[in-house]
Amino acid sequence: MRSEKEMFDLILRVAQTEERIRAVFMNGSRANPLVVKDTYQDYDIVFVVTETESFLSDKSWVNVFGEIAVMQEPDSNDFGWGVSCDFSKSYGWLILFKDGNRIDLRIMTKEKSIEHYLSDSLTVPLFDKDNIFPQIPQSSDTDYWIKVPTRQMYDGCCNEFWWCLNNVAKGIKRDHIPYAMRMYTEVIHIQLDKMVEWYIAMNHGFSVSTGMWGKYYKKYLPQDLYDKYLKTYSDGSPENLWNAVFTACDLFRFLAQEVSGYLGCTYCITDDENMVKYITNVKNAAH
């Protein structure tokens, strides 16, 4: 596997020797000084280019970065689903190489790149032939800090969590496991995750990021809560799914009461008690 130095040397060499590439900057985890480096980090790279057409007419130029194992072109995929994409301003490749390195590479015209450059606090300039990059603060994750919820956001989260449990309970009881699993993971568990994030953030002055899809929960949650959180996931067994649901209820209740105290609002204990009673009756019913 090529080292970080080898990868950056290659990226900069390509930029320096290619006249169409005028500047380079980096986003993502490698731009975050708080993230511990490891060999699995992507290289999130943006090439500022004079135009995109020539790069797209012969895409084999990306082979300069190494032997490709698997590649995705997300803009082409999105375009195939009817999403409006302006390839004349921006285009991206997600490339996994056979040596294990990965580059998430995007080309952008100058105007588009400056807009992107200024919109993300995790930005590090790497190379600039024409001095086009404006001054920006040192790279940080401030744009990704969890924000204080409004009372309406908190109430909505609680209501969605407790209300939709009736659908999960009926799905399990009817042995409609795919439906029950999707309702649980794609609706209810998302509300639990919101409460987890607010709980973590309130204990860090709302000056913290938990990473994409909670990848830093383990870092910020007390061990007992993290262990309990992991038990809110289930396999396809109805019994295990019931166990996960009731564990999620216990965890949500604790976190939501803690967050309500911080926000100075009232927790919906009536919804909680009534829905737990309902799903318990459904679970224990003969039919």
Side-chain angles (χ1 to χ4, degrees):
M1 188 174 190
R2 287 167 292 175
S3 68
E4 180 183 68
K5 183 180 185 307
E6 289 175 302
M7 292 301 295
F8 276 122
D9 285 348
L10 173 59
I11 290 165
L12 292 176
R13 185 165 65 250
V14 170
Q16 290 165 352
T17 58
E18 173 52 67
E19 187 63 21
R20 297 171 298 172
I21 301 172
R22 306 310 301 171
V24 186
F25 62 93
M26 178 174 65
N27 303 121
S29 66
R30 288 185 181 274
N32 189 345
L34 299 179
V35 172
V36 178
K37 290 184 179 182
D38 64 30
T39 57
Y40 301 106
Q41 284 180 292
D42 308 335
Y43 295 84
D44 296 287
I45 302 296
V46 177
F47 282 167
V48 183
V49 298
T50 54
E51 43 78 26
T52 63
E53 184 179 357
S54 61
F55 290 93
L56 300 180
S57 62
D58 180 7
K59 296 177 182 177
S60 64
W61 72 275
V62 299
N63 294 324
V64 70
F65 296 107
E67 194 172 3
I68 296 173
V70 182
M71 182 169 68
Q72 183 181 81
E73 298 175 46
D75 298 303
S76 289
N77 287 355
D78 288 347
F79 187 74
W81 287 103
V83 178
S84 178
C85 300
D86 189 348
F87 297 169
S88 69
K89 295 182 179 179
S90 176
Y91 195 82
W93 294 262
L94 311 180
I95 312 171
L96 178 66
F97 299 97
K98 288 188 176 180
D99 73 345
N101 276 299
R102 171 178 159 179
I103 295 179
D104 290 357
L105 177 65
R106 181 160 290 277
I107 57 173
M108 288 184 176
T109 55
K110 178 181 175 180
E111 294 74 18
K112 185 68 175 179
S113 68
I114 296 301
E115 176 185 326
H116 184 74
Y117 185 83
L118 294 172
S119 68
D120 191 342
S121 65
L122 286 176
T123 298
V124 174
L126 299 179
F127 184 65
D128 188 353
K129 293 176 181 176
D130 306 321
N131 296 316
I132 65 171
F133 291 148
Q135 289 290 324
I136 57 173
Q138 184 177 354
S139 182
S140 72
D141 67 351
T142 53
D143 283 353
Y144 301 87
W145 286 356
I146 299 162
K147 295 177 174 57
V148 181
T150 64
R151 171 66 182 271
Q152 290 76 17
M153 292 167 64
Y154 173 83
D155 288 344
C157 176
C158 292
N159 182 258
E160 184 79 346
F161 179 90
W162 291 113
W163 168 254
C164 290
L165 279 170
N166 86 88
N167 297 318
V168 176
K170 289 184 291 187
I172 302 173
K173 196 65 177 180
R174 291 166 173 162
D175 201 27
H176 296 168
I177 299 303
Y179 167 84
M181 287 288 285
R182 288 195 65 172
M183 179 62 66
Y184 177 64
T185 58
E186 297 181 24
V187 178
I188 290 166
H189 214 280
I190 288 173
Q191 307 312 314
L192 174 62
D193 289 347
K194 288 179 185 177
M195 203 60 72
V196 169
E197 292 180 355
W198 293 335
Y199 174 81
I200 290 171
M202 78 176 198
N203 287 303
H204 291 82
F206 281 89
S207 302
V208 67
S209 166
T210 55
M212 185 177 183
W213 294 337
K215 62 183 177 180
Y216 301 135
Y217 284 180
K218 184 175 182 178
K219 176 180 178 181
Y220 291 113
L221 279 176
Q223 188 63 49
D224 61 328
L225 293 183
Y226 183 69
D227 290 342
K228 193 165 193 174
Y229 176 82
L230 294 182
K231 292 177 182 177
T232 66
Y233 289 98
S234 175
D235 57 17
S237 159
E239 187 61 32
N240 290 341
L241 183 50
W242 278 122
N243 291 338
V245 165
F246 283 105
T247 301
C249 289
D250 290 343
L251 181 58
F252 187 89
R253 179 182 305 111
F254 170 78
L255 297 173
Q257 289 176 329
E258 293 290 304
V259 173
S260 72
Y262 180 91
L263 297 176
C265 57
T266 303
Y267 174 64
C268 53
I269 189 64
T270 302
D271 287 353
D272 176 338
E273 292 174 346
N274 288 342
M275 188 55 70
V276 169
K277 182 178 180 179
Y278 174 81
I279 65 174
T280 301
N281 288 339
V282 172
K283 179 180 184 295
N284 295 332
H287 301 288

